[in-house]
Amino acid sequence: MRRLAPYQSGLWLAEYGDVRCQLCRIYRSTPQFHLPQNHSSAIPPNNHSFFTKLRQHVNDRFNSGLLCSHCHHSLAWLPKPFEVDIAAGTVLSIQAATYYDYPIRQAIRAFKHHEDMTKLPLLLHVLRQLPRPQGCHRDNSVIVAMPTTNKRLVKRGFDPVSILAAQLSKHWHIPLWHGVERIDNTVSQQGLTRAERLSNLVNAFALIEIPPVKRLILFDDVATTGASLQALGRTLYSQSFSLVGLNSQSTSRYQLSAYALAHGSQL
Ligand SMILES: [Zn+2]
């Protein structure tokens, strides 16, 4: 049997064993699957077959929220998507699940910088509010988690983005793809201006294999100016075709979209 990582058993307990809200710690009175879901995996209401109901029940169980309805509604969901350019005439749209504000900001910081796994159920609840990209499924899409450098991985001891991306992959049933690496010569993006962020990221990524599918879903934990996702998008867009030796027109066959857990303010 595959050994569960400590955070996985913590998530399992929060999901099935703990009936308290992961934010206010008050007992969840409303089953979360009765709350309106804004992801597109919902099954049309006019389909009443036994298997559809069963599948709906199983989906609900897996997609059930981890917050009480009050906390669920008190968080401002789904900021408007914003765009960054990745090539002439091509933009990358970035959709975040929420804003980088209280209480998500504190939860992300505790999770990222102090490896506080008790915050993971709250973050997972927020992550599940992201609308599943239309037309994307396991056979035509992959999720590309923002890669980290080996140096940072050693320093931090774990990779928060890959843990979140793995949860998103499970939720959307879209596989992860690890075909991009981050080159170790950049410094942390924190505290840099937009211009500094962009120049810091030139040549920060390299493709190590050709993407297996044409729909690439980029994912990062926090998108502030979107500079990291933009640089990753540019690399995927420009290097994908040079690897397969196609002309630049063929790159339009790659469809890139980007998602983040939270959209940070630049202030
Ligand atoms: Zn609550």
Side-chain angles (χ1 to χ4, degrees):
M1 205 177 116
R2 209 156 56 93
R3 226 178 103 244
L4 286 178
Y7 76 85
Q8 286 173 309
S9 32
L11 270 181
W12 192 88
L13 278 175
E15 192 120 50
Y16 301 103
D18 192 350
V19 290
R20 286 177 303 174
C21 170
Q22 294 297 317
L23 190 52
C24 67
R25 306 304 295 162
I26 289 173
Y27 286 91
R28 308 199 287 259
S29 54
T30 314
Q32 296 288 296
F33 47 81
H34 291 152
L35 292 170
Q37 295 273 340
N38 55 11
H39 54 75
S40 56
S41 65
I43 288 155
N46 58 352
N47 194 336
H48 294 298
S49 83
F50 171 77
F51 289 106
T52 305
K53 280 184 181 167
L54 185 67
R55 199 172 44 174
Q56 176 82 67
H57 178 76
V58 171
N59 272 347
D60 287 344
R61 202 66 197 93
F62 276 106
N63 297 337
S64 65
L66 293 153
L67 301 189
C68 71
S69 57
H70 175 78
C71 290
H72 175 87
H73 290 296
S74 71
L75 293 168
W77 301 121
L78 291 183
K80 261 179 68 175
F82 65 104
E83 291 178 343
V84 290
D85 65 298
I86 51 168
T90 307
V91 293
L92 176 70
S93 168
I94 303 173
Q95 172 74 66
T98 192
Y99 290 100
Y100 191 54
D101 286 328
Y102 174 83
I104 303 305
R105 183 191 181 99
Q106 285 72 9
I108 291 177
R109 291 182 71 87
F111 174 61
K112 272 180 85 162
H113 304 299
H114 305 288
E115 223 174 311
D116 182 353
M117 295 298 160
T118 65
K119 298 292 184 285
L120 194 51
L122 169 62
L123 301 181
L124 179 58
H125 181 94
V126 174
L127 196 63
R128 286 173 178 174
Q129 312 308 316
L130 279 174
R132 186 193 169 101
Q134 278 199 332
C136 289
H137 53 78
R138 68 172 76 216
D139 299 321
N140 69 0
S141 312
V142 288
I143 296 176
V144 188
M146 179 62 65
T148 189
T149 63
N150 286 336
K151 204 164 72 184
R152 214 174 298 168
L153 190 59
V154 167
K155 192 176 159 207
R156 193 173 260 164
F158 86 122
D159 179 16
V161 177
S162 71
I163 291 177
L164 293 169
Q167 294 301 320
L168 190 64
S169 162
K170 205 166 118 186
H171 183 59
W172 281 349
H173 305 286
I174 293 175
L176 292 165
W177 176 68
H178 304 281
V180 191
E181 65 177 7
R182 191 157 188 157
I183 297 154
D184 251 330
N185 59 7
T186 52
V187 294
S188 168
Q189 291 287 88
Q190 258 181 337
L192 301 184
T193 65
R194 181 174 174 82
E196 287 168 341
R197 281 171 190 242
L198 276 172
S199 69
N200 184 36
L201 286 163
V202 171
N203 303 323
F205 304 100
L207 236 65
I208 46 180
E209 58 185 75
I210 299 165
V213 287
K214 296 296 173 197
R215 292 183 190 221
L216 311 174
I217 303 167
L218 282 48
F219 175 78
D220 202 358
D221 51 0
V222 180
T224 305
T225 63
S228 302
L229 286 166
Q230 183 178 24
L232 179 60
R234 282 181 174 174
T235 302
L236 283 163
Y237 196 86
S238 62
Q239 292 188 12
S240 294
F241 77 87
S242 60
L243 272 181
V244 287
L246 302 170
N247 64 42
S248 62
Q249 300 224 309
S250 305
T251 57
S252 62
R253 289 188 299 146
Y254 284 101
Q255 287 178 34
L256 273 64
S257 55
Y259 291 82
L261 177 59
H263 182 190
S265 141
Q266 279 176 266
L267 298 173

